[in-house]
Amino acid sequence: MNDRSRISPGATVNVVLGELLRNAAAEGRETLNPAEIARFVESFGAALAEGAPGGVDLRIELTNTREFGAVLSAGSGGQDAALDASNFRKDGLEVSASVELTDAADFLRLFRRTVAYRKMAAIAQRDERRPPDQVLEFCFGLMLGLGREFSAANPEAPSVLRSLRLDGVQFNKRPTVASGSCDFGAPAAGRLPRPIHKVDKLIHPKSIGIIGVSATSMNFGRIILKNLVGSGYPKEQLTVLKPGEAEIDGVRCVEGLRALDGKLDLLIVAVAADAVYDLVDEIIESDAVESVMLIPGGLGETAKSREPAAKLAERINAAHGRPGGGPVFLGANCLGVVSHAGGYDSWFIPLERLPKPQKKPVRNSVMLSQSGAFMITRLSRNPWLDPRYMLALGNQTDLTHGDLLAYFAERAEIETIGLYIEGFRDGDGLDFAKAVRRAVLNGKQVVVYKSGRTEAGAGGVMGHTASIAGDWRLADSVLRQAGAIVAEDFEAFDDLFYIAGALHHKKIGSRVGGISGAGFEAVGIADSIESGSFSLEMPALEEATVRRVGEILAAKRLDALVEVRNPIDINPGADDEAHLQVTQAFLDDPNIDAVVVGLDPTAPAIRGLESSKLRPGHDLSDPKGTVHIYPPLVAENDKPVIGIVDGGVLYDAMAGRLMDQGVCVFRNCGRGTRALARYVEARLDSDAIRKRNS
């Protein structure tokens, strides 16, 4: 029998807490008093008789959060907790995880990142005692068991723990706690499940209706109609709901929902906000539509509209209890959908302002965003993201982040899912975290930017899509533990979404080789290998690789100028072929898992210009140039290659040609190397999740 089985949590603590909660409830209380907290802590003391190093205050807390349900958090307690969290690296002060997605051993793995654990381990080593792992794992197991038993997700729970907080916890010969609190209450009813299979009708509609199209002016409805037709959606599968008109822009019109000759897969609603309320009731009662896209803003974003918008959401939710589940609604305050697979573009942005040329041989990603402008900007700045689907969620009146991620987590053709999130509906953070875990187990990558990092940012969220931002630090910790790649800013989101798509099928490891013809860039690669709580390694090259690179440089008459090492500055005199050969040598080295290579576009020896006046033909058209010889190298190797094209607009064409052919390119070495570090950390975490759940 191993140690872990010996310290598995029992039921005693749960029984004691259940009794305390029942007695308090019988007295009309929803809190436990200090004496009851002390009795609760004493109830698991016998199992911790071995003790653990003292002198370190811990804070351990179970919280029934609005978004994620029951969450376990642990970290520094007492006076240590008063230290500014900015003094620590990520996870240094505290870690958190959903009780539904972790166990004691996994939570201990997270807790080892904290300063509190490192102090405990150091004291144990100094005193020649056993590490604190067994005691901590047992304690975390007890708390997780309580979190599940007294959770809103447990239909048999007599009470729900709102918060169980133990501060100043120490484990000596028995556990002690400086202070504690416990709040509990009755379970609350949640929303009905949405029929998310109908998302298929939303993104692959065989028939689309539009209401709100002007016959005389270019309003949002008319722009959407033109984009639908312009994106190739067949006119004969379109219907405009417009009383008194026979056709608009060659598309037939009908008087309204009850004049339809069949059930629509999708209805796009582009009317004024005050007309939405009655229209939604008609949509539900007529049962004429499978899915609905609510374009109008102003539903829940202002104080005046919040109450009627909440009642609208209640009516939509009630419809899901009917036979067939009723229609699903996307929005409101929704930019729309681009579905390349479904053959339509319903964004109200004219195509001339945002063309969407195919940049990938196979589109295999999805972008989901509460903000339509976020998607527009990302795609405009980096068309190589090139998602297969782009959906704007807006206010989440019905369909939520969790719903849509759960749907796409099961789509075999999707490999990478990127999301911009302002806030979660009640309980949807847990649904979302479960969908993240499901996506990871299905071999997918989920990249998330969660807004509201600051108080000012959280306040701005409410006025945009009627969202409540929630605790950003909590969301970051829970979503990373579920398996998501969480970006700290917009630039990091772009980089991680892009690199995830480019490297999805490559083998991943933490050892990186750095190559450049510019000394600053070789050093810059080495200086950028750390990211948050993770760092890449820059190992020494094998002797065979050193000899091989030396021979390559000697053939180019550069050997007297270059010391072969990792990272390596191969000199500005190195041409395209030298870069390629050294890259291949590094890739063949068993000590190297990935290569970051500066492609040195400004160097005279590199064919980096669209045309050269000084050396005609020594340009991008030359078959010996980087844009011709690197794509096969990248395709043929299972290790990642990150190309760096650091230069101005003269070199946009070089970068674009490489990216068009599947080479992962960044425009400076720091950004590319940091993105690789963040991505490798996430991939290794995902591999560990799949291994633990296999």
Side-chain angles (χ1 to χ4, degrees), residues 184-206:
F184 62 96
R191 290 206 297 169
L192 293 172
R194 275 68 64 201
I196 62 171
H197 64 279
K198 292 188 179 183
V199 173
D200 193 64
K201 301 291 186 181
L202 174 69
I203 62 174
H204 305 122
K206 299 301 182 186

